Amino acid sequence: MLNYSESEMMAIAAGRLIKDGDIVFAGTGVSILAATVAKRIYAPRAVVFFETGGIDPSLDEIPMTVADLRVMSGTALNSGLIEAFSTIAHRKLRTVAFLGAAQIDRYGNLNTTCIGDYHKPQKRFSGSGGGNDVASLASGVISFMQHEKRRFVEKLDYLTSVGWYRGGGSRRELGLKRGGALAVVTNLALLRFHDQTKEMYLAEYFPGVSPEQVRENTGFELDVSGAKEAVPPTAEELAILREEVDPQGLICQPPQ
Amino acid sequence: MLNYSESEMMAIAAGRLIKDGDIVFAGTGVSILAATVAKRIYAPRAVVFFETGGIDPSLDEIPMTVADLRVMSGTALNSGLIEAFSTIAHRKLRTVAFLGAAQIDRYGNLNTTCIGDYHKPQKRFSGSGGGNDVASLASGVISFMQHEKRRFVEKLDYLTSVGWYRGGGSRRELGLKRGGALAVVTNLALLRFHDQTKEMYLAEYFPGVSPEQVRENTGFELDVSGAKEAVPPTAEELAILREEVDPQGLICQPPQ
Amino acid sequence: MKSCSEIADRLMSLDQAVDQFIFDGCQLALGGFTVTRNPMAIVYAIIRKGVKDLHLVAHSNGQALDILVGAGCVKRLEIAYGGNGRYAPTCIRFGRAVEEGAIEFEDYSNYQMALRFLAGSLSIPFIPTKTGLGSDLMERDGFSPEVRREEKVASRKYARIDNPFSGEKDEVALLPALNPDVALVHAQYVGEDGTVRIKGLTFADLEQAKAADKVIVTCEEIVPRSFIRQDPDQNSLASFFVDAYVKVPYGAHPTACFNFYDYDPKHLNLYRGAAEDDSRFKDYLEQWVFGVNSHEAYLEKVGTEMLLKIKASPGVGYAPGLDRR
Amino acid sequence: MKSCSEIADRLMSLDQAVDQFIFDGCQLALGGFTVTRNPMAIVYAIIRKGVKDLHLVAHSNGQALDILVGAGCVKRLEIAYGGNGRYAPTCIRFGRAVEEGAIEFEDYSNYQMALRFLAGSLSIPFIPTKTGLGSDLMERDGFSPEVRREEKVASRKYARIDNPFSGEKDEVALLPALNPDVALVHAQYVGEDGTVRIKGLTFADLEQAKAADKVIVTCEEIVPRSFIRQDPDQNSLASFFVDAYVKVPYGAHPTACFNFYDYDPKHLNLYRGAAEDDSRFKDYLEQWVFGVNSHEAYLEKVGTEMLLKIKASPGVGYAPGLDRR
C-alpha cells in the first residue's frame, strides 16, 4: 500500500467527486489541490474559478489566497466579485463549490463566523466571505472538515452558510431553488446526505479508519450502516498531486 | 452681420448653455455639434459622453449615431449602457443632456414615441431610447425642437420623457430627486422655465425673429414678457463649428 | 489541456446554429446597437430559414431588428428604440409594422431594458430603478392581459414599492428580469479556448448573453489560445456561457465592427430606400437575403471595392474620410 | 485640450489627500482583497494622522482592514470576511477586537457586500438577492437600534418581499445600497488625463469607487495620455469619478499588485507574529508606521533586496519561485 498523508487523501477523495464539465469554485488550501487534481485526472473539461473573478487560471503555482496574483495569471478572463458570484448562481452551469468551516451540523449547514455568542464570541473566525453565497447559489457544496466532535455539532453557534437547512424540503422552501450539501470530506471519511431527509450519513471511511471511530468523532447521531472503505489514492493520483499540482509542498506535505 | 444657418444658430445657442466641467450627454445631429462647440470654446473641462458607453471620444469625425465607431475612438474609456446611464444618474456629477423630440408641452415633457393612439398610432417614432432615462436621471435637459404649433402642444400624445411633469414640485413628488428641463432651443428661440411654476417662457428670440412669431408657432400660452434678442453667433463660434467640428458639413450646411 | 480548439464541438455553420437553437416563437436578444455590431449574418440565416413568431427583446437594436420585422419573422417586441441614427431616425419597417398593428409591442427605455438584462444575468427576478417614473412608459401597457400570461412574458410591466430603507415616501419602480431563450452576439475575437473578446463598446451584449438560456457567438476571427490569454483583462465572456460559435468575417455588414470595418453608408441608404416601399423591400430581401445562399456569396455581392472602402484604420478603429452621406 | 496633466489640481501627497478627504467618523471603503492591492500607503498615512471612529464597509479586505482595526482607528465595521488566506486565516487584530467587544460590527457575505456597492454605484436604494436566505446573516443583527439611526447606517439590515412578478410564493431579500463617504483604490496606472487602469482582478473596487462620495486613487505609475488612450477598452474608471490622485510606487506593499509585485511573505509573517501580541503589535506600528515619516522611508526600510525579490515577472504578473512559506 502507498504511503500518503491525511490531507493528500482528502484532496484526492474530494477531487474524485468532480464531474467533467463542472464549474468548480475553489478556495485555497486543500480545495485548490482537489480542484486541480480533478481537472488533471477525472474532469479535463472542468473549469476552476475563484470568487474574486479569475476564471480558469493556469495555476503553475499554488495560490495562497483567493486574491493571490496566481488566480489572475493565464486566465481565460479576469473580472470581479459581481461577475464571479453571478456565475456561481447561473442556472445553465453546474457549479460546485469547496468550502471549509469551523462547525457543521447534520444537514450540512456551516459556521465560519464564531464560537460562542455572536456579539461577544469566545472565538471569532473570518466570517462568511463568499461561503454563504456559494452555499446559497451553487449547484452543490463539498465541505472540508477536521473530524472532531466539537466541529460536528447538534447546533451551530452561528449558521453562516445554508446546506440542507432543517432537512427535507426546507432548503427549497426558503427560496433557494437549487443546490445544497453534496458531500463532506474529512480527515477520516467521506460523508453524504440521505435523499429524502437530507441527514448526513457515512458513505466511505478512509483506509485505516473504522466506522466506529467516525461515529465517536461526530457530535450527532450518524448512520454508518451503508458505509464501505474508500479506495486509497492511486499511484497516478499521488504523482500528479505531488509533482504537478503542489511540487513546492505548500499545502500538503507528503508523509515523512 | 455674419451669415449663418438656423441649425448653426441652434448649435451655438445650445453650446453656450454648457458650464465648464459639465458631463455632457450628447445625441447625434445638432446636439453633438453643440457639445463639441461648447467644449472647444466655453467649457474646456466639459466631458462629452454617449449613452452607449463611450466617454470623452476624440471626435475627429462627427458620429452619425450614438453607436458610431467614432464615439469609441480615442476615448478615455469604453464601456456599455449600464455604466453610461449610471454615470448620468451619479449624484456627484453635473450631467447635462441634449434631447430632441416630436412634441413638447409647457412643462418640457417630451414625446418621442408616437402621434395618435399608442396601440395603433398615426405615426410611430423611434421611442424613448435613452431619452426617458436622461430626462429622469440627469441634472438637466436641453431640448432641441423645430418650432411649430403641432410640436409645441397642450397635451402630448405620449409622455415619453418627464421634464417638469405637471409643473411646480410635481417632478420631485414623483420620486425624481433632481433634474428637469433646463432650456429648449428651437430654430426660432431659446426658451426657459419659470422657477416656481416650471412653465415654459421665451427667454431669447433669435436675430430676425419676433416674440410674436414665436407665440404664433407655439400651441400653448407662452409668456414672452421678459424676452430679449439673442446674441448672434460670433465669427469665432462659426469658424470653430465649420472648420473644426463639422468640416464635412454632415450636420449643418452653412447658408448658400 | 487540449492544445487546440476546445470549441470544436460548438463550432458550426450559420445554418447549423439556426437549426439547433432558433425556433418559432423563441424569445431573442440581438447584440449591437443601431448601426454597430448587429449580428447580421445570422439574422439573414434566420430569415432564410423562415423562422416565425419571434419575440424580440431589444434596447436600441437597429438594422437587425428592422429587417427581422420587415421580413415578417417577428410577432412580439419589447423595445426602447427603433432607429438607425441619421440613416433612418425611425426604423422604417418597424415604424410601419407598429402603425399597421402587425406586431405586438411594448415600450421601455434603454436603461430599463439594460437593467432588465442585468437582472437576468444576476439571476435576480427584478431590479429597482428611478428611471421612468411618471412617464407613459410606466402608465401604458403595450401587451394585453392574454399575452402577459404567456411564458417568458413578465406578468406585469412594472411593479412599484416604497423604498423599505427610507423613513419618508420614496417610490421606486421594479423592473422584471429578462432571460431570453437565445442571445446573439457578434464579436471581434474568439479564442480557441472559447473565450470571447469584444473590442470597443459592449452596449448590453454581455448582460444579454449572461441572461440568456442559449448564446450564439458569431465572430470575425478565431485566434490562438496564446493570443486570447495574453491579456485576460480584455476578455468579455467565458467559454462556458456560449453554446455555438460561427466564424463569419464581415458578419455585421452593413453595420460596423470596431477595429475591423465601418458601417456601409451606401448599403444603409439602399436599405432605407427599399424599406420605404413594400415591393422594393421585397426585392431587397430577394436580392440580399434569399438570393444569396451563403455568407460568402453575400460578401461577393457587396464587393471587394466596398469592403476595402469601409475597412477600419488600425489607429482609430473606423474608416477615416469615408463618404457617409 | 491641455497637453499635459489635466489632473494637476487633484494630484497630491498622501498627507494632503488624508487631510482633505478623511475625517473622524467617516465611512470608508477599502480597495483590494485579502493580500492583494490593498491601499496600504494611504492607510499608513491615515493611521499616522490618528484618524478615529472610522466606519469601514468591507467585503474581504484583509491587511488594510486589520491594521486599521489594530491601530484603533475603527469604531464600526460591516464585513464579510476578515482573513489573509494562509498568512492569517482569520485576521488577528480584527478577531481580537470582535472578541473583546472593542468594535461595533455586522456580518454580511461577499456577494451581499459587492451587491450593496453595485446598488450604490447604480444610484438605486436597494438590490434584491437570493443569497443569504435562511442564514444567521439574515437572522442576527450586529448593530443596535441606536446605531441604525445614524447617518450612513442602513435603517435595517435587510428587507424581504415576495417577488411581485411571480404567481407563487417566492421570497427575495433586499439589500440596502452603500454610498461610503470615501473609497480608496490602489491602481497600476493613472493617465495624465486622469483615467484609471487596474490590471488583473478588480474585485469590487470599481463599484466601491462609483458608489462613494469621494474617491482617492493611489497608483504605481502616472502615464502619458497617449498610453492610456491607446486602448480605452482596458480602462477602469473615468477621471470625473476621482477626487485625488497620489503616486506611490509599491503603494500596496506588503500586499500584491498584479504585473508590478507579489505580496511580501516575509513581511506578512512578521505582521502575523506581531499581531498576536499587544506589545509586539505596538512595536510593529512604531517601527513600520509611526517611525517612518514618508512612503520613501518605508520602502527604504523594506529594502531593495526584498523589493527585487517580489518584483513581478512580466510573463505571468507575479514573482515565480518566490519563497512564500
Side-chain angles (χ1 to χ4, degrees), chain B:
Chain B
M1 191 162 144
L2 293 160
N3 199 11
Y4 54 85
S5 70
E6 271 184 1
S7 50
E8 286 176 332
M9 178 75 233
M10 288 174 77
I12 289 162
R16 291 169 179 167
L17 300 175
I18 298 302
K19 295 195 168 67
D20 203 15
D22 281 359
I23 312 297
V24 184
F25 170 97
T28 42
V30 177
S31 84
I32 181 69
L33 301 187
T36 316
V37 166
K39 189 167 166 63
R40 301 209 180 193
I41 306 179
Y42 310 105
R45 299 163 73 106
V47 177
V48 179
F49 94 110
F50 293 85
E51 65 182 284
T52 41
I55 295 175
D56 197 23
S58 61
L59 296 180
D60 296 324
E61 292 191 2
I62 292 284
M64 301 290 259
T65 90
V66 296
D68 196 303
L69 303 184
R70 288 148 191 84
V71 313
M72 47 189 107
S73 180
T75 56
L77 200 145
N78 285 333
S79 57
L81 271 61
I82 296 287
E83 293 82 358
F85 287 112
S86 59
T87 298
I88 272 284
H90 204 286
R91 72 209 172 288
K92 79 190 262 184
L93 305 174
R94 193 182 125 90
T95 54
V96 177
F98 290 117
L99 291 178
Q103 290 181 329
I104 190 168
D105 70 13
R106 73 177 74 231
Y107 299 116
N109 303 304
L110 304 174
N111 172 15
T112 58
T113 301
C114 60
I115 300 294
D117 176 65
Y118 173 58
H119 288 94
K120 195 144 187 204
Q122 181 188 333
K123 178 69 191 165
R124 168 72 202 204
F125 301 116
S126 55
S128 161
N132 172 283
D133 305 309
V134 298
S136 298
L137 304 171
S139 309
V141 166
I142 298 165
S143 303
F144 286 105
M145 297 292 302
Q146 284 299 306
H147 214 134
E148 300 169 21
K149 226 173 178 130
R150 64 184 183 117
R151 296 179 182 274
F152 282 69
V153 296
E154 276 290 348
K155 184 162 170 40
L156 303 175
D157 288 19
Y158 186 98
L159 197 173
T160 315
S161 300
V162 172
W164 294 115
Y165 196 47
R166 292 168 188 166
S170 63
R171 179 189 167 90
R172 297 287 174 269
E173 284 158 24
L174 283 175
L176 300 174
K177 301 241 168 116
R178 71 173 190 180
L182 291 179
V184 183
V185 177
T186 78
N187 51 319
L188 302 180
L190 169 70
L191 303 109
R192 292 182 179 273
F193 296 85
H194 281 297
D195 275 356
Q196 294 302 316
T197 64
K198 305 300 184 190
E199 278 185 85
M200 196 187 295
Y201 68 90
L202 180 64
E204 301 179 16
Y205 44 92
F206 292 161
V209 175
S210 71
E212 199 40 48
Q213 201 181 335
V214 176
R215 279 178 82 160
E216 276 167 15
N217 285 284
T218 303
F220 47 82
E221 200 49 51
L222 188 71
D223 176 8
V224 302
S225 60
K228 55 179 192 183
E229 189 172 271
V231 176
T234 65
E236 187 202 5
E237 287 168 333
L238 284 174
I240 284 176
L241 184 58
R242 292 172 187 171
E243 289 156 31
E244 293 184 28
V245 178
D246 185 19
Q248 294 172 288
L250 289 171
I251 312 291
C252 291
Q253 267 78 44
Q256 303 302 310

Side-chain angles (χ1 to χ4, degrees), chain C residues 171-190:
Chain C
E171 192 174 72
V172 181
L174 305 181
L175 302 167
L178 278 167
N179 288 110
D181 291 307
V182 184
L184 305 180
V185 175
H186 185 71
Q188 281 87 347
Y189 300 108
V190 166

Side-chain angles (χ1 to χ4, degrees), chain D residues 220-240:
Chain D
E220 295 293 323
E221 299 264 19
I222 292 178
V223 296
R225 184 187 172 93
S226 59
F227 176 91
I228 208 92
R229 296 217 170 198
Q230 201 165 14
D231 188 359
D233 298 5
Q234 291 194 48
N235 293 338
S236 312
L237 201 61
S239 172
F240 47 65

Side-chain angles (χ1 to χ4, degrees), chain D residues 151-173:
Chain D
E151 214 194 342
K152 293 268 179 192
V153 179
S155 62
R156 50 208 282 199
K157 195 177 179 190
Y158 300 87
R160 301 178 203 208
I161 61 168
D162 266 323
N163 170 11
F165 298 96
S166 173
E168 46 204 90
K169 182 174 151 49
D170 181 25
E171 193 175 71
V172 181

Side-chain angles (χ1 to χ4, degrees), chain C residues 208-225:
Chain C
Q208 290 174 194
K210 291 176 190 171
D213 291 339
K214 300 290 175 187
V215 178
I216 303 174
V217 174
T218 60
C219 68
E220 294 293 323
E221 297 264 19
I222 292 177
V223 295
R225 184 188 172 93

